[in-house]
Amino acid sequence: MKEYRKHLTAVLLAIISIAVLAGCNSDDGKASGKSDPLKVHIALNGKMGPLVIAKEKGLFNEEFSKLDAQIEWSEFQSGPPLLESLASNRVDLSFLRDGALIAGIDKNLPFEVIAQTGRGESSVRILAQAEGNIKQIEDLKGKTVGVASGTTGHVYLIKALKAHGLTTDDIKLINLQPDDAQAAFETKQLDAWAIWNPYYLNNIEKGNAVALKVKGKILAPGAIIARNGFAKAHPEIVEAYLKVYKKAADWQIENPDEASEIYSKETKLPVSTVKTIITAEKPNIFFTEDAIKAQQESIDTLAGVGYIKKSFNFKNQINNEYIDEAFKK
């Protein structure tokens, strides 16, 4: 028994010594300012856009290293699944196209709009089978139309149908994410498909589809977003994020050939197709009156058809403090 007690005492003393040493080492680390980098969760929404350029070119490295921050990347095909991750605090910074943006605000999800991503004039179309009998929007009545529910394609479809006296009740709507919709469209399980680039132009260039003409001009502006809790705790990271986003957008404008090569590798699309897409409209992160107006029109339209509970003032959802601080003169 005495030997057991001696052994137990020795073990306890060893544990205490280790704990003390660990405590000393921990204190040394704090005193020297050593700590784990802040993990910043940035989500890619699709395979094209300034965030893809920033990731590929390592543009975040310099800005974020100054702030002892480190990126953890994730990728989504579209906005709705991204919103789910954002709601569970697995996304801190990203961008959303107008469909997911409006739905997210309508559901009071924890994010704020900190910048926009241009007008979105060239980004979405409704495709019909190249050899089918759908020649105009009115011909969609009773037809099977694919779209990813809650996306910018969904918003575009609703607005296009309304412009031609139709609603989604007049068509057979099939909820499909882009890659699944691509397969369904190619095998002619879909009569039409509401989709954004690079999908729509790629299908047109391959001869698989034609784009239906729509009355008027439908804009689909996107938005750069930040999770509320993260932005409040780390405003300097949000400002750095905006600086890098703009740097990547400017680089794309100045280097369309190299940018097209990068996107081509990501999307597996021809470089020429990619270049046509990215030069059709220049990326821009600053709030503009026409983009804000277009977003408000989308909100009012979606409220009118019951897609969201009620309309709201988009300007009230904007927090321009971060972009003002990031680019103050």
Side-chain angles (χ1 to χ4, degrees), residues 142-161:
K143 298 297 193 295
T144 300
V145 182
V147 71
S149 180
T151 64
T152 189
H154 197 176
V155 176
Y156 187 94
L157 176 62
I158 291 170
K159 293 170 81 171
L161 290 172

Side-chain angles (χ1 to χ4, degrees), residues 175-212:
N175 178 19
L176 293 170
Q177 286 295 312
D179 289 348
D180 294 330
Q182 177 68 64
F185 190 79
E186 286 179 353
T187 54
K188 300 188 177 179
Q189 296 175 63
L190 296 176
D191 298 310
W193 180 21
I195 189 60
W196 54 87
N197 264 327
Y199 294 94
Y200 93 68
L201 184 59
N202 183 44
N203 279 275
I204 289 173
E205 290 194 344
K206 288 194 302 185
N208 295 339
V210 293
L212 301 180

Side-chain angles (χ1 to χ4, degrees), residues 96-99 116-125 151-153 155-156 159 196 217-223 281 290-291 294-295 298:
L96 295 170
R97 296 180 179 91
D98 61 343
Q116 286 191 286
T117 59
R119 292 156 48 92
E121 184 174 346
S122 63
S123 58
V124 189
R125 294 292 184 273
T151 64
T152 189
V155 176
Y156 187 94
K159 293 170 81 171
W196 54 87
K217 185 180 293 184
I218 298 178
L219 302 182
E281 184 177 348
D290 57 347
Q295 198 68 273
S298 293

Side-chain angles (χ1 to χ4, degrees), residues 89 92 110-112 226-235:
N89 296 339
D92 299 319
F111 69 86
E112 53 190 340
R227 184 170 59 81
N228 290 342
F230 180 86
K232 184 177 180 180
H234 307 287

Side-chain angles (χ1 to χ4, degrees), residues 40-62 64 71-76 241 244-249 251-252 262-263 266:
V40 182
H41 299 88
I42 300 180
L44 298 173
N45 188 355
K47 296 182 180 296
M48 292 180 63
L51 281 182
V52 175
I53 295 292
K55 182 175 183 287
E56 178 68 21
K57 302 291 289 184
L59 300 182
F60 279 102
N61 296 346
E62 182 180 352
F64 275 38
I71 297 174
E72 289 195 352
W73 293 96
S74 57
E75 184 176 339
F76 299 86
Y241 169 74
V244 175
Y245 198 107
K246 184 178 186 303
K247 185 176 181 181
W251 185 91
Q252 175 181 306
I262 291 172
Y263 292 141
E266 292 289 327

